[in-house]
Amino acid sequence: MPSSTRSSGAPRTSAAPRASAAPRTRRTDPDRRDRIIDACLDVVAEHGVAGTTHRKVAVAADVPLGSMTYHFEGMDELLRLAFERFSQAMSQRFEDRMAAVTTREEALDAVTAIISDDVFTDDRELVLTHELYTFAARRPEYRTLTRNWMAASRRALERHFDPATARLIDAAIEGLTIHQAFDPAPRTQLDVPAVVRQIAAIHASDAP
Amino acid sequence: MPSSTRSSGAPRTSAAPRASAAPRTRRTDPDRRDRIIDACLDVVAEHGVAGTTHRKVAVAADVPLGSMTYHFEGMDELLRLAFERFSQAMSQRFEDRMAAVTTREEALDAVTAIISDDVFTDDRELVLTHELYTFAARRPEYRTLTRNWMAASRRALERHFDPATARLIDAAIEGLTIHQAFDPAPRTQLDVPAVVRQIAAIHASDAP
DNA sequence: GGGGGTAGCGTACATTCGTACACACAAGGT
DNA sequence: ACCTTGTGTGTACGAATGTACGCTACCCCC
């Protein structure tokens, strides 16, 4: 089909199904770029980085295929931006939780809650987290993302614990969370609150 | 090029460069299947699950493309087998290390060594581990692999520690290892040997 | 209010993918 | 020695992908 066909009176043959009937002319959608990044995360969560293509993201974001190469250098840049957004959202949430408690006791409870409940609730975040880790594992230049995330967690924990303890608790959250997700029913149940308290007691140090 | 060309006297037009000059006729390569699985791990390590294709694996294993679909149902089966092999090799190595030490003191040293040195040495294993985690995160039916791996680690640790401590040490190895790999130079250096010893002291219990 | 400039899009194309299938060749019974 | 059998392979094909590129329609300045 030569391009002259469209220059005639054909109203608009859109490939993507338009959800609303609004005509939505051009240049009136300034957060298109943002929507694409969000849609990219959805696609990654569903199909994995392996199955993430320009076309799938375009459909998910309800934008034309051409927007993909227009707004982004390529899949790599898009993935980097998407993971950047994801990791920032995750560490923001963690910081908020830690900022919401005041006493050390409450902080310990919060850590316990994170370990016990966090991963069970949301499979999407489990998947995205590991997609991000894998992405960073393969390309050292993107480890800034994971480094920032981990640094932010430690910083948040340091509001309540000394640096060494914060580092240890952070690692414990990581390890216990992963093992809980991938091996939900180990033979030996762990008394998470007690463990967290005892880890925090290893470095018998004061905290703000 | 019609197929009749090969039926004439052409010696063998192989697409992949044959390393040795041995003619290697058919039916004389019984570990072809194994080699393909190993090659699949190499390809995954280099290009990620995302970039792993029948063709790349075939080239890496130096087998014809047709062998891929002949020996395996599809990429999924191949990946499953490859990750199965990888996870078994990893947990075997862990078990061996733990079986090699006799006293609890030596066990603590071994754990310390694993946390401190393991990940730095080999980037390939870091990548493959996380590719496996991601694979398992997306498809719960393949979490058997991770479950078995983690169960094996715990079992190995239980040769020297009580179950609760084993579980905790296992999680600590996971968390510290990951954070060390993704954030190699945190502000606060951790005294790994001391930490390991203190974690092991949390459950003041006896062990064989 | 109208014309130029450019942001944004639709589409075609070369490439690469998984898979199907006809066919060649080694092995073993006779 | 031959024929039969079924394992293993080369190749062709449809589907799907990333990217280039020309054209449309909005915005801004005069």
Side-chain angles (χ1 to χ4, degrees):
Chain A
M1 187 201 277
S3 62
S4 61
T5 308
R6 263 215 75 258
S7 67
S8 72
R12 179 170 287 249
T13 42
S14 171
R18 195 56 46 84
S20 87
R24 193 184 337 131
T25 58
R26 281 201 246 178
R27 195 74 51 93
T28 62
D29 193 7
D31 47 54
R32 219 185 226 336
R33 208 183 120 96
D34 272 353
R35 265 217 331 285
I36 294 176
I37 296 177
D38 285 338
C40 180
L41 277 180
D42 287 340
V43 173
V44 169
E46 188 172 353
H47 303 279
V49 168
T52 300
T53 68
H54 280 166
R55 282 173 166 82
K56 284 207 193 95
V57 176
V59 169
D62 187 23
V63 300
L65 175 61
S67 290
M68 293 294 120
T69 50
Y70 178 75
H71 286 290
F72 307 95
E73 200 88 4
M75 275 302 313
D76 257 42
E77 185 190 0
L78 180 52
L79 284 174
R80 188 174 51 79
L81 288 166
F83 281 133
E84 198 169 326
R85 177 166 301 184
F86 173 70
S87 65
Q88 276 170 7
M90 291 294 281
S91 65
Q92 186 61 54
R93 205 179 62 189
F94 188 83
E95 281 183 71
D96 288 348
R97 282 204 218 186
M98 280 301 146
V101 302
T102 51
T103 70
R104 186 188 170 97
E105 276 303 304
E106 286 174 344
L108 287 169
D109 287 342
V111 169
T112 301
I114 287 171
I115 292 175
S116 300
D117 307 333
D118 233 19
V119 181
F120 288 108
T121 62
D122 205 334
D123 225 36
R124 173 194 151 101
E125 285 176 3
L126 175 71
V127 169
L128 283 177
T129 300
H130 285 287
E131 292 281 359
L132 168 57
Y133 284 178
T134 301
F135 190 71
R138 162 140 322 87
R139 325 189 194 201
E141 69 267 29
Y142 292 146
R143 289 189 195 168
T144 328
L145 300 182
T146 54
R147 200 155 42 235
N148 287 344
W149 184 358
M150 291 167 183
S153 305
R154 278 203 309 273
R155 218 180 310 118
L157 286 167
E158 284 173 10
R159 296 169 59 103
H160 306 284
F161 307 100
D162 68 287
T165 302
R167 193 144 132 56
L168 196 51
I169 289 183
D170 200 25
I173 292 176
E174 186 79 59
L176 288 172
T177 282
I178 289 179
H179 283 224
Q180 206 140 34
F182 285 143
D183 189 1
R187 277 170 305 156
T188 330
Q189 281 301 335
L190 209 58
D191 184 356
V192 176
V195 162
V196 169
R197 266 152 229 282
Q198 283 169 314
I199 288 178
I202 286 182
H203 300 273
S205 164
D206 47 4
Chain B
M1 187 202 277
S3 63
S4 60
T5 308
R6 262 214 74 259
S7 66
S8 72
R12 179 168 288 248
T13 42
S14 170
R18 192 59 44 84
S20 88
R24 183 158 18 107
T25 58
R26 281 201 248 178
R27 196 75 50 93
T28 62
D29 193 7
D31 46 54
R32 217 183 232 325
R33 208 181 121 96
D34 272 352
R35 266 217 330 284
I36 294 176
I37 297 177
D38 285 338
C40 179
L41 278 180
D42 287 341
V43 174
V44 169
E46 186 172 355
H47 303 279
V49 168
T52 300
T53 68
H54 280 167
R55 283 173 166 82
K56 284 206 192 97
V57 176
V59 169
D62 187 23
V63 299
L65 175 61
S67 289
M68 291 295 121
T69 49
Y70 179 75
H71 286 290
F72 306 96
E73 200 88 4
M75 274 303 312
D76 258 42
E77 185 190 0
L78 180 53
L79 284 174
R80 188 174 50 79
L81 289 166
F83 280 133
E84 199 170 325
R85 176 166 301 185
F86 173 71
S87 64
Q88 276 171 7
M90 291 294 280
S91 63
Q92 185 61 54
R93 206 179 61 189
F94 189 83
E95 280 184 72
D96 288 349
R97 282 205 217 186
M98 280 301 146
V101 302
T102 53
T103 70
R104 186 188 171 98
E105 276 304 305
E106 286 174 345
L108 287 169
D109 287 342
V111 169
T112 302
I114 287 171
I115 292 176
S116 299
D117 307 334
D118 232 19
V119 181
F120 288 108
T121 62
D122 204 334
D123 225 36
R124 172 194 150 100
E125 285 176 3
L126 176 71
V127 170
L128 283 177
T129 299
H130 284 287
E131 292 281 358
L132 168 56
Y133 284 178
T134 301
F135 191 71
R138 162 139 322 87
R139 325 189 196 201
E141 69 267 29
Y142 292 145
R143 289 189 195 168
T144 328
L145 300 183
T146 53
R147 200 155 41 234
N148 287 343
W149 184 359
M150 291 167 184
S153 305
R154 278 203 309 275
R155 218 180 311 118
L157 285 167
E158 284 173 11
R159 297 169 58 104
H160 306 283
F161 307 98
D162 67 287
T165 302
R167 193 144 134 56
L168 197 51
I169 289 183
D170 200 25
I173 292 176
E174 185 80 58
L176 287 172
T177 281
I178 289 178
H179 283 224
Q180 206 140 33
F182 285 141
D183 190 1
R187 277 171 303 156
T188 330
Q189 281 302 334
L190 209 56
D191 183 357
V192 176
V195 162
V196 169
R197 265 152 229 283
Q198 283 170 314
I199 288 178
I202 286 182
H203 301 274
S205 164
D206 48 3

